Amino acid sequence: MKTPTVHVPRAEHGVALITGLIFMVVLTLLVIASMRTTILEEKMAGNARDVNLAFQAAEAALRAGQQVMSTAYQLPIPEGGISSYWQTTHNWAVQSTAAWQPPGTSAAPRYVIERMSTCPGTIGFGPLNTDGVYRITARGVGGNANTAVILQAVYREC
């Protein structure tokens, strides 16, 4: 008869536990990095949407200004061709006209109409035209009041 052998367990060193913990730390770092990227992309998409909303509001004000072109205008603003004037100097609350406020914007878009000069005439045959040239400047804001878009269009009545 064969005598039964007794197996004495060996001491475990915890290699599986250490490997598992290292694996979990690496996975946690990957998840944190991907969450940061996702949050940044969400912010960028929100800002892009806000700029788009401000652009659409400015376009709406530009169209409103074109519709009332024949009724109201002011004299040319000497600095009107400089973009920094419209961004920092012009008092939009007092020296402009409000247009319809699109939903989602923080304020109604506004516009200014300036009579620039007379048309020099057209190339070709016939009499010279002396009707006016107008510049319409529109400012729209998005959902955030700090997001502003300024558009200009030149309108010629010749």
Side-chain angles (χ1 to χ4, degrees):
M1 210 179 201
K2 195 172 183 182
T3 57
T5 57
V6 177
H7 294 286
V8 178
R10 294 185 306 165
E12 294 184 14
H13 297 287
V15 175
L17 178 63
I18 292 173
T19 304
L21 287 175
I22 290 174
F23 185 67
M24 291 301 288
V25 167
V26 169
L27 280 178
T28 302
L29 292 176
L30 286 174
V31 168
I32 290 172
S34 66
M35 285 302 294
R36 283 187 181 180
T37 302
T38 302
I39 290 170
L40 179 63
E41 288 174 355
E42 284 287 327
K43 286 181 182 179
M44 290 183 343
N47 288 340
R49 181 191 174 282
D50 207 29
V51 168
N52 190 7
L53 190 60
F55 184 82
Q56 291 176 18
E59 275 190 329
L62 203 59
R63 300 296 174 248
Q66 288 174 344
Q67 288 178 350
V68 299
M69 255 290 303
S70 60
T71 59
Y73 62 87
Q74 62 184 29
L75 295 176
I77 298 173
E79 301 88 8
I82 303 170
S83 62
S84 62
Y85 168 79
W86 296 107
Q87 294 168 354
T88 58
T89 308
H90 188 75
N91 186 351
W92 285 99
V94 176
Q95 299 173 331
S96 63
T97 304
W100 168 78
Q101 182 174 351
T105 59
S106 61
R110 303 187 74 82
Y111 63 89
V112 174
I113 302 173
E114 305 170 75
R115 183 179 177 102
M116 301 303 294
S117 64
T118 57
C119 296
T122 57
I123 298 175
F125 300 100
L128 295 177
N129 269 328
T130 57
D131 295 335
V133 174
Y134 300 88
R135 177 173 49 213
I136 304 169
T137 305
R139 179 180 186 268
V141 294
N144 181 349
N146 293 327
T147 305
V149 172
I150 296 174
L151 298 176
Q152 286 186 325
V154 175
Y155 183 80
R156 182 172 142 177
E157 275 189 335
C158 295

